[in-house]
Amino acid sequence: MSDCLFCKIVAKEIPAEIVYETGRALAFRDVNPQAPTHVLVVPKAHHADAAALARADDGLADEVLKAAHEVAVREGVTEGGYRIVFNTGAGAGQTVFHVHAHVLGGRALTWPPG
Ligand code: AMP
């Protein structure tokens, strides 16, 4: 999608600090980190949100989830605990409508989130 921020990052038209990449997924640091580790994992193909990604039913959701876990391993946050979050819909705080998993770790994470 030509007007999608994360499609532009996938296309390398907008810079991002990329930390991991697979054939169909890309992981890059959040520009406004909420934890010492805050990485976004996106499918390279455009899907608006987690519901659309689930509906795609082509193994892509699996690849994104595995990439998110691999990011946590590489960031060294698995032992201390980490969180994978898909904000889904504006009411849940989604602001960029290209589905992305937030991988958060490196500090104590409270529950429930706000
Ligand atoms: P959400 O509110 O769940 O849609 O998350 C969107 C996230 O994208 C926020 O945490 C933003 O800080 C992050 N973000 C926005 N623009 C960029 C960018 N250019 N590079 C990296 N992260 C970004």
Side-chain angles (χ1 to χ4, degrees):
M1 290 228 320
S2 57
D3 61 344
C4 169
L5 175 63
F6 289 172
C7 283
K8 288 180 179 163
I9 288 177
V10 167
K12 315 267 166 71
E13 292 169 15
I14 290 179
E17 189 181 341
I18 293 167
V19 297
Y20 183 61
E21 183 167 8
T22 70
R24 294 193 292 170
L26 186 73
F28 53 90
R29 294 200 190 282
D30 196 294
V31 76
N32 182 24
Q34 301 301 310
T37 289
H38 189 173
V39 172
L40 303 176
V41 183
V42 303
K44 293 179 180 177
H46 184 88
H47 295 280
D49 58 19
L53 179 61
R55 278 195 301 271
D57 197 26
D58 57 0
L60 188 54
D62 185 59
E63 188 160 333
V64 169
L65 180 58
K66 285 176 176 159
H69 175 65
E70 179 60 24
V71 165
V73 171
R74 289 173 180 231
E75 292 285 312
V77 297
T78 55
E79 202 160 311
Y82 64 101
R83 191 170 288 162
I84 298 174
V85 176
F86 290 91
N87 292 327
T88 306
Q94 186 176 5
T95 57
V96 178
F97 287 84
H98 179 131
V99 61
H100 48 282
H102 295 257
V103 181
L104 296 148
R107 65 165 171 81
L109 298 166
T110 57
W111 189 262

